[in-house]
């Protein structure tokens, strides 16, 4: 019995090392998922921020046609990186609307001129209130919205070339 007591601290230490090492080698998914997947969009009405483009409201998403909703900002480097994929989705006939987070009209104008403009509407979310209501934790982030205004899919991070076909399929099947 005494021998076992001598080894007990070592066993506890070894167990702690195993737990810590397993966390280091297999980290948990750090993505914050929206609690609204499968639920209706929260009600919002955002003013326009880009010249010649209307603002954005929940009513747009309840007109029977699925959309891709992109949450982005002109100051976001991954947002610039995903621009070619958004342009490709637009060319595939996917309607894309956007929420510009904590942005300014001049900065957004320059961003769209430099990286392209795939958006039908862009709403200004100056205080990130709609972003937070959506359950979005950062930019860029995209949501597939069905024709009744329900969130079908959340894509966290920039859309990459390998994501385009799956996102297009999700929008097309979100009737």
């Amino acid at each position: 019995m005494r021998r076992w007591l001598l080894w007990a601290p070592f066993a506890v230490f070894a167990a702690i090392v195993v737990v810590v090492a397993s966390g280091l080698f297999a980290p948990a998914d750090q993505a914050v998922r929206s609690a609204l997947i499968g639920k209706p969009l929260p009600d919002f009405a955002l003013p326009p921020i880009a010249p010649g483009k209307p603002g954005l409201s929940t009513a747009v998403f309840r007109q029977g046609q699925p959309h891709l909703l992109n949450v982005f900002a002109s100051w976001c480097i991954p947002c610039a990186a995903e621009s070619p994929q958004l342009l490709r989705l637009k060319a595939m006939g996917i309607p894309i609307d956007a929420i510009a987070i904590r942005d300014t009209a001049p900065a957004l104008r320059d961003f769209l001129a430099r990286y392209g403009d795939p958006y039908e509407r862009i709403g200004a979310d100056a205080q990130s209130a709609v972003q937070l209501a959506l359950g979005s934790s950062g930019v860029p982030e995209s949501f597939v919205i069905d024709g009744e205004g329900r969130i079908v899919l959340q894509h966290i991070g920039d859309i990459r070339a390998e994501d385009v076909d799956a996102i297009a399929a999700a929008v097309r099947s979100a009737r």
Side-chain angles (χ1 to χ4, degrees):
M1 183 71 170
R2 286 189 145 186
R3 282 188 187 189
W4 186 85
L5 288 175
L6 290 173
W7 286 98
F10 177 73
V12 170
F13 176 75
I16 291 170
V17 167
V18 167
V19 169
V20 170
S22 68
L24 291 174
F25 292 112
D29 182 10
Q30 298 295 320
V32 178
R33 305 273 176 220
S34 174
L36 295 180
I37 305 297
K39 297 180 181 169
L41 282 169
D43 286 329
F44 65 87
L46 296 172
I49 189 170
K53 289 206 180 281
L56 188 63
S57 72
T58 309
V60 168
F61 299 99
R62 295 182 181 148
Q63 297 175 353
Q65 180 183 17
H67 290 255
L68 183 65
L69 175 60
N70 184 245
V71 180
F72 83 111
S74 65
W75 44 263
C76 164
I77 293 172
C79 297
E82 82 172 348
S83 291
Q85 283 65 251
L86 290 171
L87 291 168
R88 188 170 150 211
L89 284 162
K90 179 183 178 182
M92 295 168 77
I94 303 300
I96 306 171
D97 294 304
I99 297 175
I101 305 299
R102 298 184 182 266
D103 228 322
T104 66
L108 188 62
R109 182 191 63 238
D110 293 346
F111 179 90
L112 296 174
R114 183 172 187 176
Y115 298 108
D117 182 359
Y119 306 114
E120 293 180 9
R121 295 165 203 82
I122 304 173
D125 192 5
Q127 301 301 318
S128 301
V130 175
Q131 178 190 24
L132 294 174
L134 285 170
S136 169
S137 61
V139 290
E141 202 162 314
S142 298
F143 296 88
V144 173
I145 313 297
D146 72 10
E148 296 177 9
R150 283 189 310 265
I151 300 173
V152 175
L153 175 80
Q154 176 186 26
H155 180 86
I156 298 172
D158 57 318
I159 296 173
R160 299 182 180 202
E162 60 268 17
D163 302 322
V164 169
D165 291 333
I167 290 173
V171 172
R172 289 184 180 123
S173 67
R175 300 273 170 208

